């Protein structure tokens, strides 16, 4: 008990805790809940099913923990999706040190009329003492890299998982944050002796006048600080954050006794996305971690890493005849129209333009993916439409579609409920 009191006493004077009381993060207005649901990875229900449960439905009495819930993006998204799915016995538990952040999340939940969220104040490191029970899923987004010991934090989260449970995690990426840490250091020097409000004003004065050669100024993917003071403080005036390369993050995960189920989006972590055709043969023989490491080195713009973790191996859904492909926040007809117009899947990864080739029947395939038809049913429908197409070729085209659309995390596989 004395250890717990000591930890609580140390956190009282913790500048990181004080920061989030003064600047709850991210900046959110509960009144905006009437207009939009903020959604993203990790923690979409389809992603949890696809990457952590081989497509299977969520279990009865599903329990999720949002560890370091901040102002509530993950909590609200999970709770709303569970309510929309009609999972009346599902529960989301919010946990955060910041009372100011918790108050904003509670207001957002009230605005939506959600009744499936429980709130607790506390630290990830104190999970065992808080006695919140076991969880089928844990969201820890943008938190581990701010802990005094990310390794201890991840161990505590792992201990709180059910045997078949998994986590959705986001931490900072080392290479994509080029310039951040140099500027943090400069602001630390310039702001000595100033309180946080004065340091915010100092940063705002400096930012537009940085030398043209400054690495932060030259990094086009760093814009969070422009949205609000809370984002500026979190990015540039934070007292403690750690960025990870792919190998460093993999080591942290392994130390906690976890397996990497998926990197999001998968194609970001595939070096084939970035290499010219004449160098593709150099990828032969690389294991998944080596491929992800090389992809990060080539891309250079991975400012965060989002991944799903599990106690078990091979938890991601694999293509099989009875699997149901379902779009994630995309519409099959709209995708088909775009593919017909562009002749490929066109988009970008944080400023990197992408044009991903697709097979001839990709538009027709996209239209048939509705979360109700199985891959076998889709293949039969396409075979009936394209009668002269050899079955083996059609199978290859479907596999190519799954690789591309799944690779950008927009087409996932479900099992029949």
């Amino acid at each position: 008990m004395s250890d717990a009191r000591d930890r609580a006493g140390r956190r009282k004077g913790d500048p990181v805790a004080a920061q989030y009381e003064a600047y709850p993060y991210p900046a959110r207005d509960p009144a905006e809940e009437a207009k939009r649901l903020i959604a993203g990875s990790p923690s979409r229900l389809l992603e949890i099913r696809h990457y952590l449960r081989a497509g299977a439905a969520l279990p009865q009495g599903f329990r999720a923990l949002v560890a370091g819930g901040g102002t509530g993006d993950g909590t609200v998204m999970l709770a709303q999706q569970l309510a929309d799915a009609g999972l009346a016995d599902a529960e989301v538990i919010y946990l955060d040190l910041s009372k100011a952040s918790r108050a904003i999340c509670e207001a957002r939940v009230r605005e939506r009329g959600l009744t499936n969220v429980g709130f607790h104040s506390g630290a990830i490191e104190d999970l065992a003492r808080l006695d919140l029970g076991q969880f089928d899923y844990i969201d820890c987004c943008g938190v581990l890299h701010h802990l005094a010991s990310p390794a201890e934090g991840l161990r505590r989260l792992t201990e709180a998982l059910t045997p078949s449970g998994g986590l959705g995690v986001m931490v900072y990426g080392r290479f994509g944050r080029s310039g951040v840490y140099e500027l943090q250091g400069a602001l630390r020097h310039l702001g000595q002796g100033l309180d946080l409000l004065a340091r915010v004003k100092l940063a705002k004065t400096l930012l537009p006048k940085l030398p043209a050669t400054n690495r932060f100024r030259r990094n086009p993917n760093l814009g969070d600080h422009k949205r609000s003071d809370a984002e500026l403080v979190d990015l540039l005036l934070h007292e403690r954050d750690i960025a990870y390369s792919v190998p460093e993050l993999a080591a942290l995960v392994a130390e906690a006794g976890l397996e990497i189920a998926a990197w999001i989006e998968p194609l970001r972590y595939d070096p084939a996305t970035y290499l010219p055709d004449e160098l593709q043969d150099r990828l032969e023989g690389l294991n998944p971690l080596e491929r992800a490491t090389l992809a990060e080195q080539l891309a250079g713009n991975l400012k965060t890493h989002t991944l799903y973790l599990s106690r078990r191996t091979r938890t991601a859904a694999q293509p099989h005849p009875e699997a149901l492909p379902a779009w994630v926040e995309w519409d099959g007809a709209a995708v088909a129209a775009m593919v017909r117009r562009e002749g490929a899947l066109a988009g970008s990864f944080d400023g990197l333009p992408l044009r991903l080739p697709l097979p001839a029947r990709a538009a027709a395939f996209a239209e048939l993916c509705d979360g109700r038809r199985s891959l076998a049913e889709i293949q039969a429908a396409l075979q009936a439409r394209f009668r002269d197409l050899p079955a083996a070729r059609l199978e290859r085209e479907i596999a190519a579609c799954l690789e591309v659309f799944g690779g950008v995390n927009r087409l996932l596989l479900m099992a029949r409920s």
Side-chain angles (χ1 to χ4, degrees):
M1 183 66 77
S2 61
D3 286 347
R5 281 199 297 269
D6 288 345
R7 286 196 298 271
R10 287 197 300 271
R11 288 194 197 98
K12 257 189 170 178
D14 185 349
V16 174
Q19 170 192 319
Y20 288 119
E21 290 299 333
Y23 292 94
Y25 179 86
R28 295 290 182 246
D29 179 0
E32 293 289 314
E33 296 306 312
K35 302 176 183 177
R36 61 170 181 164
L37 174 66
I38 297 172
S41 300
S43 301
R44 293 182 178 101
L45 294 191
L46 288 181
E47 292 178 13
I48 295 170
R49 290 182 60 181
H50 176 94
Y51 293 114
L52 295 174
R53 299 184 54 78
L58 302 182
Q60 291 291 320
F62 176 80
R63 298 189 78 231
L65 170 68
V66 182
T71 53
D73 285 1
T75 301
V76 171
M77 179 181 74
L78 264 171
Q80 186 64 66
Q81 290 188 66
L82 288 167
D84 292 344
L87 298 172
D89 60 350
E91 180 183 35
V92 179
I93 298 297
Y94 168 102
L95 178 68
D96 200 280
L97 275 174
S98 168
K99 293 181 180 178
S101 298
R102 171 176 167 171
I104 293 170
C105 184
E106 287 180 321
R108 294 175 68 183
V109 166
R110 285 195 301 271
E111 283 289 323
R112 289 183 169 271
L114 295 168
T115 59
N116 55 355
V117 182
F119 288 90
H120 295 268
S121 294
I124 288 172
E125 297 92 334
D126 294 339
L127 266 173
R129 179 181 61 81
L130 292 168
D131 195 25
L132 301 179
Q134 299 293 108
F135 297 93
D136 301 292
Y137 176 72
I138 296 176
D139 171 296
C140 190
C141 190
V143 179
L144 286 174
H145 49 233
H146 293 315
L147 300 184
S149 172
E152 180 191 354
L154 190 54
R155 283 196 299 271
R156 296 292 171 263
L157 295 175
T158 304
E159 290 166 359
L161 282 177
T162 63
S164 61
L167 298 96
V169 170
M170 184 276 277
V171 299
Y172 293 147
R174 183 180 298 282
F175 299 159
R177 282 168 70 84
S178 172
V180 168
Y181 297 102
E182 298 97 313
L183 188 52
Q184 281 185 2
L187 289 168
R188 202 169 288 121
H189 281 296
L190 292 169
Q192 288 182 31
L194 300 179
D195 63 21
L196 186 54
L197 179 59
R199 289 164 59 208
V200 170
K201 292 179 180 177
L202 185 155
K204 287 181 173 180
T205 300
L206 177 62
L207 280 167
K209 299 176 182 178
L210 285 170
T213 52
N214 181 271
R215 289 212 301 164
F216 181 88
R217 181 171 176 175
R218 291 168 65 87
N219 189 335
N221 298 310
L222 299 172
D224 295 5
H225 59 291
K226 299 175 183 178
R227 290 198 287 262
S228 73
D229 286 356
E231 273 79 358
L232 184 150
V233 170
D234 196 75
L235 181 67
L236 295 175
L237 299 176
H238 210 291
E239 294 291 341
R240 185 170 62 231
D241 78 52
I242 302 169
Y244 291 88
S245 67
V246 163
E248 291 166 341
L249 184 51
L252 179 72
V253 169
E255 185 181 344
L258 295 167
E259 300 281 342
I260 297 173
W263 301 88
I264 305 300
E265 294 85 2
L267 279 181
R268 287 182 183 265
Y269 293 86
D270 184 349
T273 303
Y274 310 107
L275 286 176
D277 290 344
E278 59 268 30
L279 294 179
Q280 294 286 334
D281 63 338
R282 304 302 301 171
L283 302 179
E284 291 182 15
L286 296 184
N287 65 39
L289 180 56
E290 290 170 335
R291 291 180 70 94
T293 299
L294 177 56
E296 179 186 33
Q297 292 167 338
L298 291 169
N301 67 346
L302 295 175
K303 63 180 181 179
T304 62
H305 296 300
T306 299
L307 59 167
Y308 284 97
L309 309 175
S310 177
R311 289 179 180 274
R312 302 169 295 149
T313 59
R314 296 184 292 277
T315 58
Q318 300 300 317
H320 61 85
E322 294 308 308
L324 311 176
W327 292 106
V328 179
E329 297 168 15
W330 280 9
D331 174 74
V335 174
M338 185 272 289
V339 171
R340 290 190 178 103
R341 183 176 66 252
E342 299 287 340
L345 181 61
S348 67
F349 281 159
D350 290 328
L352 174 68
L354 289 177
R355 189 173 178 83
L356 302 172
L358 286 164
R361 263 61 55 173
F365 172 80
E367 288 173 323
L368 292 169
C369 294
D370 58 5
R372 297 187 297 274
R373 293 184 180 94
S374 69
L375 284 174
E377 291 167 335
I378 290 171
Q379 182 169 340
L382 291 172
Q383 195 70 71
R385 180 174 173 183
F386 303 103
R387 295 180 183 278
D388 295 333
L389 185 68
R393 182 174 174 182
L394 178 58
E395 289 177 6
R396 290 195 298 271
E397 291 201 6
I398 290 174
C401 288
L402 291 173
E403 183 176 354
V404 172
F405 293 132
V408 295
N409 195 42
R410 289 298 179 175
L411 188 66
L412 304 180
L413 299 176
M414 303 297 110
R416 289 193 189 276
S417 300

